[in-house]
Amino acid sequence: MVSAIAVVFESKWAMWDIFVVEWLVDEFALPIPTAALHISIVATAFALGCPVGGSIGDRLGDRRMHMVVVLLAALFLLYLAMGPWQLGALAITQRRALLYVYLVSDGAMSTLIEPQLMPEMLRLAEQQSRADGGAGPNEHLTNFVTTFSQFGMNAGAVIGPFVAVPLIDSIGFRG
């Protein structure tokens, strides 16, 4: 389940990069390089917040997935409330202001989610190893889980564009 969340979460980012750049070019008449630069707002929020997200997850321990579920629900609500398809009714200045709230909020919430995935997979694997009579954590188990987690994240990064591009081509980025 955690690996599936990693695949979907990373697919979302890969699709999002494609959709948001096109939306910024169309909605705000930004040149492509400037539109792509706006994505760095999310990346900056993510980079600055990852240590905080990891620390919070460490404090939560076995309950870290509770935080992930709550934040995934919050992201869903953010996308519904502030999605690009809903901002057309507002003036351009209001849309531009909401854009930055949207970008920072998305990056900040995602910062708290992603650092939880690999540690949770390791915790579950170690717990199962002990339950099966094993010694718990070891190098082979850690390498396997790390590889599996990275595979999930990279698979999502590949799947995202393969989903996003046909969607944009067939129904447009607002669809």
Side-chain angles (χ1 to χ4, degrees), residues 2 65 119-129:
V2 177
M65 288 308 285
E120 181 64 10
M121 289 177 71
L122 283 167
R123 185 189 71 76
L124 292 170
E126 291 169 1
Q127 184 180 27
Q128 186 63 46
S129 174

Side-chain angles (χ1 to χ4, degrees), residues 40-151:
S40 69
I41 294 170
V42 176
T44 300
F46 195 87
L48 294 175
C50 261
V52 174
S55 176
I56 291 170
D58 288 344
R59 287 190 184 114
L60 290 173
D62 293 353
R63 299 174 314 172
R64 73 172 23 109
M65 288 308 285
H66 295 120
M67 179 178 69
V68 169
V69 169
V70 168
L71 288 169
L72 286 172
L75 277 173
F76 176 76
L77 293 174
L78 175 72
Y79 299 150
L80 285 179
M82 300 185 77
W85 58 92
Q86 294 180 343
L87 299 178
L90 301 175
I92 190 80
T93 55
Q94 293 169 319
R95 289 195 310 263
R96 191 176 302 269
L98 282 175
L99 168 68
Y100 298 109
V101 171
Y102 177 77
L103 294 174
V104 171
S105 298
D106 196 359
M109 282 190 272
S110 296
T111 287
L112 297 173
I113 294 171
E114 191 170 317
Q116 312 313 320
L117 301 177
M118 190 178 306
E120 181 64 10
M121 289 177 71
L122 283 167
R123 185 189 71 76
L124 292 170
E126 291 169 1
Q127 184 180 27
Q128 186 63 46
S129 174
R130 284 191 185 101
D132 292 341
N138 64 55
E139 182 180 345
H140 299 294
L141 180 63
T142 302
N143 287 342
F144 175 75
V145 171
T146 302
T147 301
F148 197 70
S149 177
Q150 286 301 305
F151 171 80

